[in-house]
C-alpha cells in the first residue's frame, strides 16, 4: 500500500515539474518582471560552450560549476552557444535572458545583472542541476525573460557572534542566498558574546574575544559551558569569503556592534569601560558591563585602528557600527560621562549615544565609508544623512527613519527575523512574533502606511538570523539555521526583488517548482504542519506541501515512523503525532489539540538563593512570569519545586534561565525528584539549564534543581514555572 501511494505521489510530482517547465516564468523564485514562452527548444550538449565578455569570467565560471561546460572568452568569430554580455542600457542588476533554438544569451546591466540572469537560467533547468546529478543533454524550452529588481538592497543578516560558523559554512549560506538573488550579506561580527574578525593592530580582540569558556576572559553563554568555544576569521579568510560572495553578486557588509553589545570588547580591553567600580558580588566577581565609555578619548583611537582595517578589508561602501539597545545606566554612573554631558549641555544620556555615533561616523567617513546603524542610532538629530538606517524594532521605527530622510533597510523583527519560531511549539524565539513564510510574503509598505516620500527612502529589505539558540541546536540531526530561514528567505527574496504578491500565486511556484530545487540543494527547509482531524473514531491527516506524511504512536515501537496512507481508526488520537517530509525538508509535528495541552499544578518555590524584589517567586508559582534570584548560582545551590499534591504526568520540564535567550541559568547541574517530599533521587543532568523528566513511574511530589558549577557570566539566575504534560488517554 505504501509503495503504491509513493509511486502515485512521484507521478504527481513529475507532472507538476513538467507543467512548471512550460509556464512562461518557469516557476522561478523570485518572480520575474516579464516572461514569455517561444516556440522550440534549445539543447545543452556536452559540447555546448559558455562564452563571456572579458570581465565576466567569474560569472561564466559560476555557471560552469552547475553546467560542466567549456568556458571561453567571447570573440566575434566563435560566438558560442551560451553567451554572457553586459548591456549598459539595462538597469544595473537587470538582465534579459533569451533562449532560442540556436543558443542562450544573458545580457546584464552589470556583472550583477548577468549573475541574476544565470540564477534564473539555472532555475529553468531540472532541479538535479543543484545536486550535480543531472546529466547532459538537457532540453530547455525557448523563452525570453526581461527582469530587474524592485529594490537595490536585498539583504540577509547573519549573527556569527553568538554561534560561530566556519568560513565554509558561511560560504554555503552565501551560495544558497545567491540562488535567491539576495545581494547583501550583513555579517554581525562582534557582540557581547564574541569578536570574530582578526584585527592586525590589536590581535587580542579576536584571539581572546573569539572564544568563550570556563578559562577564557569571556564567560560561556548559550551553551558549550564546559569548554573553550569559538573561532574567528583571519583577514585572509575574510578576503576569500568576500571574493566568493562577490562572484555571486553578494556584497559583505561588516558590523561591529557599538557602543552597547560590547561585553567581549570590554572583557578583552577592560579600560574601555566607564570609570567606576562595579558591584560584582552578585556575579561572583565577574564584570558583566558591556558599554564603551563615551568620554574616554583613547576609545576613539582604538576604534579608528579597527575601522581603518575593516575599511581596507571590506570593499563595501558601508560599515555597520551597530547602535541598538544601549542601556545607558553605565554612563549615568560614570563621572567622566556625566562631566561630558554637562560640558556639552546634554540633558539626556541618549544624547551621549548620538555624540558617540557622530564621532565614529566621522572616523568611518575619513576611511571612505558610509555607516550603517540600527534604528536607535538615528533617533537623535546629529546622524549624518548619508547613513543607512536598519529598522529592526518595528514598522514605526522604519517609517520614522525614512520620514527623516534616511535611506532605510526595512527589517522589522515581527516580519523579517527568521530566528523567530514558525509555530507555537517549534524551536526558536518568539519575542517579536511567531510567524511562518506567509507573513514576510505579505509585507507591503503601502499596507503598513508608508507615505510616498517614505517609500522613496526604502533601500530594500533584510532578513535576519540572530544565533542565541543556534549553538544549543548544533548537535541536532538537521541544520537548524536552514530550517528556520527557509522558505522564509524565499519570501524575503520575492518581496525585495518583485515587490511581493499574492500568497496563492507565490505558493504554487514555491511548492510545485522551488521546493524541488531546495531539496536538490540539500536545504532542510520547513514544511507546513500536516492538518490533522479526528471524527467518528478516525484520525485523518493531509498536507498541502506534497511529500510523505509520517506518524509515530506514543509508547509503541520506540517511536517508529509509519507512513500515513489512509485514516486511522483509534480511540486514543492524542497518542499520534504526524509530520511531513520531502527530501531533507520536514514539518513540525501535528496532532489533535489534547496532545499539546499542559497542566498547571499548584506548587511552592524555595531556593538556597534569595529572590529578587522585582521578579518574585510568586510570579513563578502563579505561572504568570519568570522569577529571579539576586545572584548567580554557586556550586551546591538549589531551587526546589514542592507540589501541593503529587503530580501525575507524562513529562515535566524544569528550566533555569531565559527561554528566549538561554542565559541566567545554572550552567551545569542536575534534577532530583521526590515522590514523598522527603527522599530525593537524581534523575537527569541539566542541558542548557533544563532538565526533562519523561514518563515518571510515580506521581511527583517535589523536584530539586542542583547547581554544580559556580557562576554564569551574569548577576542572577532566572527561575521558570514547570511545564507539565498530562498523561494521555
Ligand atoms: C537587534 O535585534 N537588537 C538589532
Ligand atoms: Zn563613561
Amino acid at each position: 500500500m505504501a509503495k503504491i501511494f509513493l509511486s502515485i505521489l512521484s507521478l504527481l510530482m513529475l507532472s507538476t515539474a513538467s507543467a512548471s517547465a512550460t509556464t512562461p516564468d518557469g516557476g522561478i523564485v523570485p518572480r520575474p518582471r516579464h516572461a514569455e514562452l517561444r516556440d522550440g527548444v534549445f539543447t545543452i550538449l556536452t559540447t555546448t560552450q559558455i562564452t563571456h565578455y572579458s570581465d565576466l569570467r567569474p560569472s561564466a565560471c559560476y555557471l560552469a560549476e552547475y553546467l560542466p561546460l567549456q568556458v571561453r572568452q567571447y570573440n566575434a568569430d566563435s560566438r558560442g552557444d551560451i553567451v554572457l554580455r553586459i548591456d549598459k542600457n539595462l538597469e544595473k542588476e537587470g538582465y534579459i535572458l533569451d533562449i532560442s533554438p540556436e543558443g542562450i544569451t544573458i545580457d546584464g546591466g552589470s556583472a550583477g545583472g548577468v549573475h541574476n540572469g544565470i540564477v534564473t537560467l539555472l532555475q529553468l533547468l531540472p532541479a538535479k542541476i543543484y545536486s550535480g546529478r543531472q546529466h547532459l543533454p538537457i532540453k530547455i524550452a525557448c523563452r525570453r525573460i526581461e527582469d530587474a529588481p524592485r529594490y537595490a538592497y536585498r539583504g540577509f543578516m547573519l549573527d556569527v557572534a553568538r554561534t560561530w560558523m566556519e568560513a565554509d559554512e558561511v560560504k554555503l549560506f552565501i551560495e544558497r542566498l545567491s540562488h535567491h538573488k539576495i545581494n547583501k550579506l550583513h555579517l554581525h561580527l562582534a557582540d557581547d558574546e564574541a569578536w570574530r574578525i582578526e584585527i592586525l593592530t590589536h590581535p587580542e580582540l579576536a584571539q581572546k574575544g573569539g572564544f568563550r569558556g570556563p578559562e577564557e576572559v569571556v564567560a560561556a553563554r548559550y551553551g558549550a559551558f564546559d569548554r573553550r568555544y569559538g573561532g574567528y576569521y583571519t583577514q585572509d579568510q575574510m578576503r576569500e569569503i568576500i571574493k566568493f560572495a562577490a562572484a555571486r553578486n553578494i556584497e559583505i557588509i561588516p558590523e561591529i556592534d557599538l557602543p552597547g553589545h560590547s561585553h567581549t570588547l570590554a572583557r578583552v580591553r577592560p579600560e574601555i569601560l566607564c570609570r567606576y567600580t562595579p558591584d560584582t558580588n552578585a556575579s561572583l566577581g565577574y564584570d558583566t558591563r558591556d558599554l564603551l565609555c563615551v568620554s574616554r578619548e583613547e576609545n576613539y583611537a582604538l576604534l579608528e585602528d579597527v575601522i581603518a582595517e575593516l575599511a581596507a578589508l571590506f570593499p563595501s561602501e558601508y560599515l555597520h557600527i551597530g547602535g541598538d539597545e544601549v542601556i545607558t545606566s553605565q554612563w549615568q554612573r560614570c563621572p567622566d560621562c556625566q562631566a561630558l554631558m554637562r560640558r556639552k549641555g546634554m540633558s539626556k544620556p541618549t544624547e551621549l549615544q548620538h555624540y558617540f555615533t557622530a564621532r565614529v561616523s566621522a572616523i568611518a567617513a575619513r576611511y571612505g565609508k558610509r555607516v550603517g546603524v540600527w534604528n536607535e542610532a538615528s533617533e537623535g538629530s546629529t546622524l549624518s544623512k548619508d547613513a543607512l538606517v536598519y529598522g529592526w524594532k518595528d514598522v514605526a521605527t522604519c517609517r520614522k527613519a525614512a520620514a527623516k530622510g534616511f535611506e532605510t533597510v526595512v527589517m522589522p523583527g515581527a516580519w523579517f527575523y527568521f530566528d523567530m519560531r514558525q509555530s507555537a511549539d517549534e524551536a526558536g524565539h518568539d519575542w517579536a512574533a511567531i510567524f511562518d513564510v506567509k507573513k514576510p510574503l505579505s509585507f507591503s509598505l503601502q499596507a503598513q502606511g508608508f507615505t510616498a516620500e517614505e517609500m522613496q527612502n526604502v533601500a530594500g529589505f533584510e532578513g535576519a538570523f540572530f544565533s542565541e539558540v543556534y549553538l544549543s541546536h548544533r548537535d541536532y540531526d538537521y541544520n537548524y539555521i536552514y530550517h528556520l530561514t527557509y522558505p522564509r528567505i524565499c519570501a524575503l527574496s520575492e518581496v525585495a526583488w518583485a515587490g511581493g504578491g499574492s500568497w496563492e500565486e507565490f505558493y504554487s511556484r514555491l511548492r510545485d517548482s522551488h521546493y524541488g530545487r531546495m531539496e536538490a540543494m540539500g536545504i532542510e527547509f520547513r514544511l507546513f504542519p500536516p492538518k490533522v482531524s479526528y471524527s467518528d473514531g478516525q484520525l485523518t491527516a493531509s498536507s498541502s506541501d506534497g511529500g510523505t506524511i509520517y506518524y509515530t504512536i506514543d509508547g509503541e515501537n520506540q517511536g517508529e515512523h509509519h507512513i500515513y496512507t489512509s485514516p486511522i481508526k483509534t480511540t486514543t488520537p492524542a497518542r499520534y503525532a504526524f509530520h511531513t517530509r520531502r527530501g531533507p525538508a520536514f514539518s513540525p509535528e501535528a496532532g489533535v489539540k489534547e496532545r499539546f495541552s499542559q497542566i498547571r499544578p499548584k506548587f511552592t518555590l524555595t531556593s538556597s538563593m534569595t529572590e529578587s524584589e522585582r521578579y518574585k517567586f510568586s510570579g513563578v508559582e502563579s505561572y504568570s512570569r519568570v522569577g529571579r534570584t539576586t545572584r548567580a548560582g554557586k556550586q551546591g545551590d538549589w531551587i526546589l519545586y514542592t507540589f501541593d499534591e503529587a503530580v501525575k504526568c507524562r513529562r515535566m520540564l524544569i528550566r533555569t534561565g531565559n527561554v528566549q535567550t538561554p542565559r541566567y541559568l545554572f550552567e551545569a547541574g542536575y534534577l532530583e525528584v521526590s515522590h514523598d517530599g522527603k527522599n530525593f533521587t537524581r534523575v537527569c543532568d541539566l542541558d542548557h539549564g533544563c532538565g526533562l523528566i519523561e514518563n515518571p513511574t510515580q506521581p511527583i511530589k517535589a523536584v530539586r534543581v542542583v547547581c554544580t558549577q559556580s557562576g554564569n557570566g551574569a548577576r542572577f539566575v532566572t527561575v521558570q514555572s514547570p511545564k507539565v504534560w498530562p498523561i494521555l488517554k
Side-chain angles (χ1 to χ4, degrees):
M1 184 65 186
K3 268 204 181 121
I4 293 168
F5 174 76
L6 281 176
S7 47
I8 289 172
L9 195 80
S10 43
L11 277 176
L12 282 173
M13 280 165 62
L14 274 181
S15 61
T16 48
S18 54
S20 69
T22 50
T23 57
D25 69 15
I28 73 168
V29 173
R31 187 181 73 244
R33 208 175 263 183
H34 177 77
E36 60 183 72
L37 271 174
R38 299 269 169 92
D39 290 337
V41 293
F42 176 71
T43 305
I44 303 173
L45 303 164
T46 52
T47 52
T48 301
Q49 292 187 358
I50 303 168
T51 61
H52 61 89
Y53 275 32
S54 61
D55 46 359
L56 291 173
R57 187 164 177 83
S59 302
C61 292
Y62 175 77
L63 177 57
E65 282 180 33
Y66 292 92
L67 280 178
L69 303 175
Q70 200 186 350
V71 170
R72 296 172 48 156
Q73 187 155 326
Y74 181 92
N75 69 51
D77 307 327
S78 62
R79 196 185 163 279
D81 313 295
I82 301 178
V83 182
L84 311 181
R85 305 185 298 207
I86 299 280
D87 178 351
K88 294 270 186 214
N89 295 317
L90 297 174
E91 289 175 50
K92 184 160 172 271
E93 282 194 272
Y95 66 90
I96 296 174
L97 167 64
D98 197 299
I99 305 170
S100 72
E102 292 74 43
I104 297 175
T105 55
I106 297 175
D107 290 298
S110 64
V114 171
H115 176 82
N116 291 327
I118 290 171
V119 168
T120 293
L121 174 61
L122 292 175
Q123 289 203 8
L124 295 172
L125 302 176
K128 276 187 184 168
I129 204 84
Y130 297 105
S131 57
R133 288 188 286 116
Q134 175 66 39
H135 299 294
L136 300 175
I138 301 171
K139 285 190 188 316
I140 174 168
C142 293
R143 281 190 180 78
R144 183 177 168 88
I145 293 182
E146 295 179 17
D147 197 8
R150 175 80 181 73
Y151 294 96
Y153 192 111
R154 306 179 303 282
F156 195 81
M157 194 224 71
L158 200 53
D159 168 14
V160 290
R162 273 56 173 258
T163 299
W164 165 238
M165 290 173 75
E166 298 285 348
D168 282 348
E169 290 180 272
V170 175
K171 283 185 184 170
L172 179 62
F173 204 84
I174 288 170
E175 183 76 17
R176 291 170 170 180
L177 286 179
S178 89
H179 287 306
H180 294 84
K181 301 190 174 97
I182 298 296
N183 67 350
K184 314 279 181 201
L185 177 67
H186 165 182
L187 268 188
H188 190 71
L189 287 167
D191 206 305
D192 288 327
E193 293 77 9
W195 183 286
R196 299 276 185 224
I197 182 72
E198 178 184 41
I199 302 296
L200 299 169
T201 50
H202 299 277
E204 72 284 2
L205 292 180
Q207 285 169 5
K208 291 187 184 168
F211 298 88
R212 328 197 269 269
E215 309 292 325
E216 306 304 308
V217 295
V218 187
R221 236 183 235 188
Y222 305 135
F225 298 115
D226 56 348
R227 62 191 157 94
R228 182 171 194 255
Y229 166 79
Y232 63 88
Y233 309 109
T234 64
Q235 293 199 3
D236 281 344
Q237 276 177 322
M238 187 51 73
R239 266 187 282 277
E240 181 59 36
I241 294 173
I242 291 166
K243 190 171 151 211
F244 180 90
R248 287 152 184 77
N249 191 38
I250 292 182
E251 170 187 325
I252 308 237
I253 298 172
E255 179 193 356
I256 300 293
D257 202 347
L258 303 165
H261 285 266
S262 295
H263 177 68
T264 291
L265 182 58
R267 292 298 295 173
V268 179
R269 299 286 297 265
E271 68 276 15
I272 64 133
L273 289 163
C274 282
R275 194 168 59 84
Y276 67 94
T277 307
D279 175 1
T280 53
N281 282 341
S283 53
L284 311 179
Y286 190 84
D287 187 343
T288 59
R289 290 179 291 169
D290 60 1
L291 193 56
L292 277 104
C293 180
V294 177
S295 67
R296 188 174 179 272
E297 277 308 307
E298 296 89 332
N299 285 356
Y300 299 98
L302 171 65
L303 292 177
E304 175 146 6
D305 291 346
V306 170
I307 288 170
E309 289 194 38
L310 296 179
L313 178 60
F314 291 91
S316 171
E317 82 178 289
Y318 297 105
L319 178 64
H320 198 307
I321 57 168
D324 58 322
E325 299 181 306
V326 175
I327 299 162
T328 55
S329 54
Q330 291 163 42
W331 291 338
Q332 285 169 294
R333 294 180 65 185
C334 174
D336 303 331
C337 284
Q338 291 305 301
L340 177 64
M341 280 185 71
R342 286 192 297 274
R343 269 203 315 282
K344 300 278 178 192
M346 296 175 184
S347 57
K348 295 191 298 272
T350 47
E351 289 170 74
L352 285 172
Q353 176 175 359
H354 302 314
Y355 169 88
F356 174 87
T357 306
R359 286 200 58 178
V360 177
S361 304
I363 297 170
R366 282 209 297 284
Y367 291 89
K369 300 292 177 184
R370 295 169 63 179
V371 292
V373 294
W374 296 114
N375 52 251
E376 291 96 317
S378 69
E379 283 158 15
S381 56
T382 52
L383 183 64
S384 157
K385 276 290 179 288
D386 72 355
L388 180 62
V389 177
Y390 289 68
W392 70 275
K393 188 123 193 139
D394 50 30
V395 169
T397 51
C398 297
R399 285 193 53 194
K400 218 157 122 186
K404 276 182 156 181
F406 291 111
E407 256 197 281
T408 303
V409 175
V410 173
M411 55 183 306
W415 306 80
F416 293 108
Y417 271 29
F418 301 156
D419 46 307
M420 295 299 129
R421 68 181 63 151
Q422 298 172 82
S423 69
D425 292 309
E426 283 176 82
H429 298 284
D430 65 10
W431 61 261
I434 297 173
F435 63 91
D436 62 26
V437 56
K438 281 186 181 172
K439 191 166 179 193
L441 193 272
S442 74
F443 192 89
S444 144
L445 296 173
Q446 211 145 18
Q448 293 300 323
F450 282 68
T451 65
E453 196 191 343
E454 288 162 8
M455 279 190 222
Q456 286 226 317
N457 290 329
V458 171
F461 296 86
E462 183 164 286
F465 181 80
F466 282 95
S467 64
E468 290 92 340
V469 301
Y470 186 23
L471 171 57
S472 52
H473 294 66
R474 289 289 257 183
D475 56 355
Y476 279 25
D477 58 1
Y478 66 93
N479 197 335
Y480 175 79
I481 192 171
Y482 289 104
H483 197 65
L484 273 279
T485 55
Y486 287 88
R488 290 190 283 193
I489 284 175
C490 309
L492 166 73
S493 125
E494 185 79 5
V495 169
W497 181 276
S502 89
W503 168 253
E504 286 71 23
E505 191 280 327
F506 172 76
Y507 183 52
S508 66
R509 269 181 291 128
L510 187 69
R511 177 194 55 201
D512 299 340
S513 304
H514 203 65
Y515 274 3
R517 296 178 195 123
M518 293 195 288
E519 284 180 58
M521 289 179 208
I523 297 178
E524 296 130 317
F525 60 97
R526 181 209 191 245
L527 297 167
F528 288 106
K531 286 198 168 34
V532 176
S533 62
Y534 182 67
S535 65
D536 299 331
Q538 293 210 117
L539 256 178
T540 307
S542 63
S543 166
S544 60
D545 276 333
T548 306
I549 299 174
Y550 293 87
Y551 65 94
T552 55
I553 310 168
D554 283 9
E556 266 191 34
N557 301 332
Q558 296 165 338
E560 182 190 334
H561 286 66
H562 308 271
I563 292 178
Y564 174 85
T565 53
S566 59
I568 300 164
K569 270 198 181 20
T570 178
T571 54
T572 56
R575 291 174 59 208
Y576 290 74
F578 297 83
H579 75 278
T580 311
R581 285 192 171 272
R582 267 188 77 154
F586 62 96
S587 78
E589 279 195 343
V592 294
K593 216 162 129 212
E594 307 84 79
R595 183 178 175 81
F596 301 99
S597 67
Q598 290 174 32
I599 51 173
R600 295 181 161 194
K602 282 204 163 83
F603 69 98
T604 306
L605 189 67
T606 50
S607 174
S608 59
M609 300 168 284
T610 43
E611 66 183 327
S612 133
E613 275 296 309
R614 187 145 168 231
Y615 297 91
K616 286 184 173 300
F617 290 171
S618 53
V620 183
E621 290 166 338
S622 60
Y623 292 85
S624 54
R625 65 184 302 199
V626 299
R628 281 184 188 175
T629 64
T630 53
R631 60 167 170 81
K634 287 186 200 159
Q635 188 155 12
D637 272 324
W638 50 266
I639 301 162
L640 176 66
Y641 299 75
T642 307
F643 295 97
D644 292 15
E645 287 179 32
V647 180
K648 285 187 196 160
C649 64
R650 73 180 199 276
R651 296 167 96 196
M652 185 183 288
L653 178 73
I654 301 285
R655 181 191 289 276
T656 64
N658 289 14
V659 179
Q660 293 296 330
T661 51
R663 294 180 63 187
Y664 315 122
L665 34 74
F666 281 174
E667 290 182 2
Y670 56 88
L671 287 193
E672 292 179 325
V673 165
S674 172
H675 302 295
D676 59 7
K678 296 188 193 84
N679 302 298
F680 283 81
T681 312
R682 181 167 170 160
V683 291
C684 63
D685 288 342
L686 297 184
D687 180 15
H688 296 85
C690 300
L692 182 65
I693 305 160
E694 294 247 47
N695 300 313
T697 50
Q698 292 177 61
I700 296 173
K701 178 64 183 166
V703 182
R704 186 156 55 203
V705 196
V706 182
C707 181
T708 56
Q709 185 178 315
S710 298
N712 61 5
R715 295 197 304 274
F716 57 89
V717 177
T718 300
V719 186
Q720 304 265 357
S721 313
K723 279 174 155 268
V724 188
W725 288 268
I727 290 174
L728 292 173
K729 288 198 224 38

